Amino acid sequence: MPLRFAFFLGFYLLLSITVYTQNDFSSHYFKIHVNSKGWITSMKNITVKPHREFSPATKPSPLLSLYDSKKNQYYQPQKATYNKLKKTFTLNYSNGSVATVSLIPQPKYLKLTLVSLSPRNGIDAIQWGSYHTNITNLFGEIIGVARDTSETVNYAIGMLALNDNTLGGTSETVADAAPFQYIIHSPDKQRFPLPAHLREGQVFPIGGDGINDVAFYAHKEPYYRILYGNAAFVDDQGRVSIAYSSRDRAPKREVYFSLIPHMAVNSPNHQEVQPLPGIDYVGSSVALWGSPDSTALLDVIQNIVLAEGLPYPTFNGKWVKDPAAFIPDALTSGGLYDSIVPYTHQLGFKTISLYDQGFIRPDRSNGGYIDGKNFEKKPLKMTAGNKSHKEFSELAARYGLIIGRTPITTSLAPGTKDASPLPSDSLCYQQKRLLTNNLAPNDTIIQVNDPQYLEEIASWEGHCTNLNMIKIGKELIHYLGVSKTAPYRLLNVKRGYWNTTPASHLAGDTIYKLQVTINYGYDGLIPNIQLQDKIAQYYADVCHLNGLAYYDFDGQEFLFNSGHGYYSVKRFFRQMFERAKTLGVPYIRFTGSTLSEGSWHYQSIWNVGGGKNLYDVETREWGSTTSQGKDLRDVTYSNFFPVGMGSNFPIKASSTVPQYEHIQAISVGIGSTYSLQLNQKDVESCPQKYAIFKAIRTWENARAANAFPRWVKKELVNPSNQFHLEEVNPNTWQLYKTDLDGKNPKLFCVLKRDSNYP
């Protein structure tokens, strides 16, 4: 080979693998610039000309931040080099750590993955970002998105986690679950100017007594924004930033946690968090995306979910996040079931929530057979003969309907397999201590080696004194308080609590101060992560054996009680759905008491509360008694999730068709669901029941056909409007504007089935 040719070939090969100090990366709709220090200095919408810039000039964004929780200190990159061949950045930090991050452009997003970090030098968590934008309109704090929904801008920038241990939120989030509180933010400073005494980013506690979950929602002003996460947040100028983080879950650590830390009734507790070896931040991965806001959900977010193999539940043949898939559910009341199935079928709904049957408690002793192994229990009352859940589910299935119940998620109630009279050795605990004296079965002097934090009343929620207990061996022991001087002993002791057996214990035995729930009928112990896995699988078994396919997870926030926050939620639902899949159970539709980044992918709906707290059809407003309707509407809409209108709108003797046409117009317009209360006796008393059934079904048929364009939906959500919808044929509908009582109809537009929705 000639020397000159060899030289140029070598030089060419060197160039092909050389490092670069500045780089641009693009998807179809989005372009970022990363500088030589590893900071994003530009984020542009490249679908318009000139390209619109969304990165604040004075506020660049670190590509990857490192976090030392012991020092409560972040480290941002100081130097970045890019290997074009490997598509990786090498990022250098002031603590001596070096990170390798791959950045791979995909057609509709940029995929970032932490390949390695060495040496760790005290780093126990990493954070993608925070990525700062100049968007000041909407922020989706659950999934991490900044949205400008105006016609002139119409753009969104967001992230999604691509693995379970990457969570929406910042690294310093205590116990990986962000505080439940209000923040001040005006989504439109012209329409909603802030009063002089308030400023952007100011934080306030929720309302009420901290126990009554309806009273949490206490501010109807549009600039009071309730928070259900911190994957997106605003600065003092109202500009939206987004962040995701990941943690090494192997080391021992202690948290001081409350989901509602601003109230004494929910003050934080100290908790030793269960180590989870092998759950690490190396491998953490996110999709960073930007796109027109109006098409972001179905064009970009859906693409990420499918391309990256994220949970993609479908219901009625559609992705549960598709607005055409939103559909109300029937919710039983009154305990009589003769007509519930035909009612639900006539409405065009697909689900019956057996809400008046009360709670299902996770009791693994029944093997998932909630009506007995031979289905001998018949709790569902019908005139022709009562039925088991299995029998009723088979009746419902003839009409294409599913049925479901309301569990208390992971609350292990007294008398159930894992709680008492033989408590499991796989319970979650707050503190672990040693017994320093021998105990006979009747002794009440219990001495401990260390009194620290034992005076705290168990759980961060409610601090219910009847649930303050320890476990030694197989005995539960209630106590209140600890002595202030040595030898330290527990006070007000009750042995053999919850019908466990008082036993002898030896000095040196381990004392576990247990993590618990609240009372008010939710009384229970919290499982550790491995037992939580089994509880999740138990719920899949219950569906398989009893014909259920719907859950209303009350107490869903108990999944945070392990100290692993949103990771715990993701792990629970992954376990449930993977088990269900192996059993041949289709998607389990579910709602629950909360919504988080952990449940967003899995959860279909969020119907909580009811009555005038949510949408008041009489006053035509989102919450006439509290701000719950407004608050939940704003949270869900910002996070591309259907707002719930709650357990609401019961059909009674005085119910009319125009009422339900208005409910349906609002539901379709904003993208919401609700749980329609059906009390058989009340429905039978309504002269217009069949006309109401027909009207609701007509709207639901058109919604499922994706027949409502954006401009029509904007008219539907105006509460001063009244509409009437008529079906011409299965592919065509005529929409009329009417008086508020449904009279004097005038044709507003003709709606056609979207060809993509056969």
Side-chain angles (χ1 to χ4, degrees):
M1 179 184 296
L3 180 62
R4 179 173 294 184
F5 179 77
F7 171 79
F8 282 111
L9 177 60
F11 182 69
Y12 173 80
L13 290 173
L14 178 63
L15 282 178
S16 71
I17 62 171
T18 191
V19 293
Y20 291 77
T21 56
Q22 299 188 27
N23 289 277
D24 293 327
F25 302 89
S26 300
S27 67
H28 287 345
Y29 316 124
F30 187 49
K31 181 179 181 180
I32 69 170
H33 179 82
V34 181
N35 71 9
S36 61
K37 292 185 177 181
W39 294 67
I40 298 174
T41 57
S42 177
M43 291 186 284
K44 288 183 178 180
N45 174 5
I46 58 175
T47 69
V48 297
K49 291 186 178 180
H51 298 167
R52 184 185 290 270
E53 180 64 71
F54 287 97
S55 177
T58 59
K59 199 174 182 180
S61 306
L63 192 65
L64 180 75
S65 301
L66 310 182
Y67 184 68
D68 183 332
S69 65
K70 290 184 174 60
K71 297 179 180 178
N72 193 25
Q73 183 175 352
Y74 281 101
Y75 298 91
Q76 276 84 34
Q78 295 185 320
K79 179 183 176 183
T81 52
Y82 184 67
N83 186 313
K84 189 174 183 179
L85 184 64
K86 294 182 178 179
K87 297 182 179 179
T88 58
F89 274 101
T90 299
L91 303 175
N92 297 80
Y93 297 83
S94 62
N95 73 327
S97 293
V98 179
T100 302
V101 173
S102 69
L103 198 167
I104 303 176
Q106 302 293 334
K108 295 182 179 178
Y109 60 98
L110 306 175
K111 182 175 181 178
L112 294 93
T113 305
L114 177 59
V115 178
S116 66
L117 182 72
S118 180
R120 297 204 170 194
N121 290 345
I123 300 304
D124 53 0
I126 60 96
Q127 180 174 303
W128 298 102
S130 301
Y131 299 148
H132 307 300
T133 78
N134 58 25
I135 293 172
T136 60
N137 182 204
L138 304 183
F139 67 97
E141 79 281 19
I142 295 174
I143 62 168
V145 59
R147 301 178 60 187
D148 190 320
T149 60
S150 66
E151 295 293 337
T152 55
V153 178
N154 184 29
Y155 202 73
I157 296 172
M159 277 197 285
L160 281 182
L162 303 184
N163 64 335
D164 285 356
N165 193 35
T166 303
L167 310 178
T170 58
S171 289
E172 76 265 30
T173 304
V174 178
D176 296 321
F180 182 34
Q181 57 195 2
Y182 278 105
I183 193 170
I184 299 300
H185 174 63
S186 173
D188 186 327
K189 292 179 174 57
Q190 298 299 317
R191 295 176 60 202
F192 311 117
L194 296 185
H197 67 285
L198 296 176
R199 66 182 186 278
E200 285 281 349
Q202 195 172 355
V203 171
F204 289 92
I206 58 171
D209 57 9
I211 298 175
N212 182 342
D213 57 0
V214 170
F216 291 166
Y217 308 94
H219 289 283
K220 293 187 178 182
E221 303 93 330
Y223 40 77
Y224 274 88
R225 175 63 154 76
I226 204 89
L227 293 177
Y228 273 85
N230 65 346
F233 41 93
V234 298
D235 65 10
D236 58 5
Q237 298 180 45
R239 298 176 298 186
V240 182
S241 300
I242 55 179
Y244 269 70
S245 61
S246 187
R247 183 183 305 282
D248 180 0
R249 300 190 180 276
K252 291 182 178 180
R253 60 192 174 99
E254 186 169 81
V255 296
Y256 186 50
F257 173 71
S258 170
L259 193 66
I260 314 175
H262 304 290
M263 293 184 165
V265 73
N266 292 308
S267 62
N269 275 166
H270 291 85
Q271 180 179 352
E272 299 174 21
V273 179
Q274 179 186 358
L276 299 177
I279 310 299
D280 191 25
Y281 53 65
V282 170
S284 174
S285 188
V286 295
L288 174 63
W289 60 271
S291 83
D293 180 79
S294 57
T295 56
L297 176 65
L298 296 181
D299 182 28
V300 177
I301 297 177
Q302 183 173 218
N303 174 264
I304 295 169
V305 169
L306 289 170
E308 297 295 336
L310 298 178
Y312 187 75
T314 60
F315 183 68
N316 206 23
K318 303 181 183 73
W319 184 39
V320 295
K321 299 299 182 295
D322 186 338
F326 301 164
I327 185 172
D329 304 313
L331 183 143
T332 60
S333 171
L336 186 60
Y337 294 89
D338 292 297
S339 299
I340 295 301
V341 167
Y343 286 165
T344 306
H345 178 63
Q346 290 176 66
L347 286 161
F349 297 172
K350 299 297 180 183
T351 306
I352 302 172
S353 171
L354 305 177
Y355 191 75
D356 49 7
Q357 291 297 310
F359 289 133
I360 284 182
R361 289 174 169 80
D363 185 1
R364 296 189 305 129
S365 66
N366 62 27
Y369 290 91
I370 57 177
D371 291 329
K373 288 193 174 181
N374 297 310
F375 307 104
E376 59 271 18
K377 299 176 185 176
K378 312 287 183 181
L380 307 181
K381 295 181 180 179
M382 302 184 73
T383 303
N386 298 342
K387 293 188 179 297
S388 66
H389 289 81
K390 181 73 170 177
E391 292 167 329
F392 193 75
S393 73
E394 292 169 349
L395 174 63
R398 297 174 199 164
Y399 295 84
L401 307 178
I402 61 174
I403 69 168
R405 290 286 303 275
T406 301
I408 317 183
T409 314
T410 51
S411 177
L412 305 176
T416 60
K417 175 180 175 62
D418 296 302
S420 66
L422 291 173
S424 171
D425 292 330
S426 298
L427 297 174
C428 181
Y429 60 86
Q430 290 189 334
Q431 299 293 326
K432 183 168 65 174
R433 299 289 185 266
L434 295 178
L435 182 66
T436 60
N437 63 313
N438 294 333
L439 284 184
N442 295 324
D443 289 341
T444 57
I445 303 298
I446 300 177
Q447 296 179 359
V448 298
N449 65 322
D450 182 357
Q452 189 175 34
Y453 308 137
L454 296 185
E455 79 284 356
E456 295 176 351
I457 303 298
S459 183
W460 59 266
E461 185 177 9
H463 304 295
C464 304
T465 56
N466 68 307
L467 295 178
N468 200 62
M469 65 184 93
I470 61 170
K471 175 180 174 290
I472 309 178
K474 290 294 184 181
E475 182 184 359
L476 300 181
I477 301 170
H478 182 267
Y479 81 100
L480 287 174
V482 61
S483 65
K484 297 185 182 298
T485 59
Y488 299 105
R489 62 187 180 88
L490 304 183
L491 306 177
N492 304 296
V493 169
K494 296 178 183 177
R495 299 288 302 274
Y497 203 53
W498 278 11
N499 291 321
T500 58
T501 301
S504 296
H505 306 289
L506 299 176
D509 284 353
T510 302
I511 297 173
Y512 297 95
K513 178 179 172 61
L514 297 178
Q515 176 66 299
V516 299
T517 59
I518 54 175
N519 48 33
Y520 314 107
Y522 296 84
D523 310 54
L525 307 175
I526 295 293
N528 71 7
I529 287 293
Q530 286 76 23
L531 181 54
Q532 178 184 294
D533 290 347
K534 294 180 180 179
I535 298 299
Q537 294 162 7
Y538 167 83
Y539 282 124
D541 292 343
V542 169
C543 286
H544 171 62
L545 296 171
N546 301 279
L548 306 188
Y550 168 95
Y551 281 131
D552 178 354
F553 281 108
D554 208 344
Q556 192 179 149
E557 71 275 12
F558 297 154
L559 293 169
F560 301 152
N561 286 27
S562 66
H564 287 287
Y566 306 145
Y567 170 76
S568 173
V569 180
K570 290 182 180 181
R571 181 162 172 156
F572 176 84
F573 287 116
R574 180 175 293 280
Q575 289 285 333
M576 184 178 78
F577 280 104
E578 287 183 351
R579 172 68 173 172
K581 184 178 180 180
T582 64
L583 296 172
V585 177
Y587 172 63
I588 302 171
R589 181 173 173 84
F590 78 90
T591 179
S593 57
T594 192
L595 177 69
S596 71
E597 192 268 330
S599 66
W600 186 89
H601 284 285
Y602 296 97
Q603 190 165 333
S604 322
I605 51 177
W606 191 21
N607 284 321
V608 292
K612 298 180 182 297
N613 302 303
L614 290 167
Y615 190 80
D616 187 336
V617 69
E618 295 177 5
T619 62
R620 295 185 170 224
E621 63 182 312
W622 285 91
S624 59
T625 55
T626 73
S627 66
Q628 185 177 19
K630 181 271 292 185
D631 287 334
L632 297 187
R633 176 200 65 195
D634 292 351
V635 167
T636 51
Y637 185 85
S638 297
N639 286 282
F640 296 109
F641 197 88
V643 60
M645 300 165 85
S647 306
N648 224 343
F649 318 127
I651 298 176
K652 297 187 178 246
S654 59
S655 296
T656 66
V657 171
Q659 289 176 331
Y660 291 89
E661 294 236 51
H662 176 65
I663 293 164
Q664 286 295 137
I666 294 293
S667 177
V668 170
I670 199 167
S672 78
T673 65
Y674 58 90
S675 296
L676 180 64
Q677 291 185 34
L678 293 179
N679 181 305
Q680 185 168 311
K681 291 182 179 180
D682 288 344
V683 175
E684 289 301 319
S685 72
C686 178
Q688 297 190 40
K689 64 177 181 292
Y690 292 119
I692 291 171
F693 291 166
K694 180 181 177 182
I696 292 175
R697 183 164 192 145
T698 299
W699 281 88
E700 289 304 321
N701 286 345
R703 171 163 30 194
N706 202 36
F708 297 93
R710 287 183 74 214
W711 72 269
V712 172
K713 290 182 178 181
K714 289 182 178 180
E715 292 293 320
L716 296 180
V717 297
N718 185 343
S720 64
N721 290 333
Q722 178 70 35
F723 292 94
H724 168 64
L725 187 65
E726 289 186 0
E727 185 171 305
V728 178
N729 58 54
N731 299 308
T732 308
W733 295 263
Q734 291 178 331
L735 183 64
Y736 296 85
K737 267 192 175 181
T738 73
D739 297 339
L740 294 185
D741 59 3
K743 297 179 180 178
N744 300 315
K746 296 178 182 178
L747 184 65
F748 180 65
C749 67
V750 175
L751 305 172
K752 295 288 186 178
R753 177 182 296 275
D754 185 330
S755 60
N756 295 314
Y757 291 80

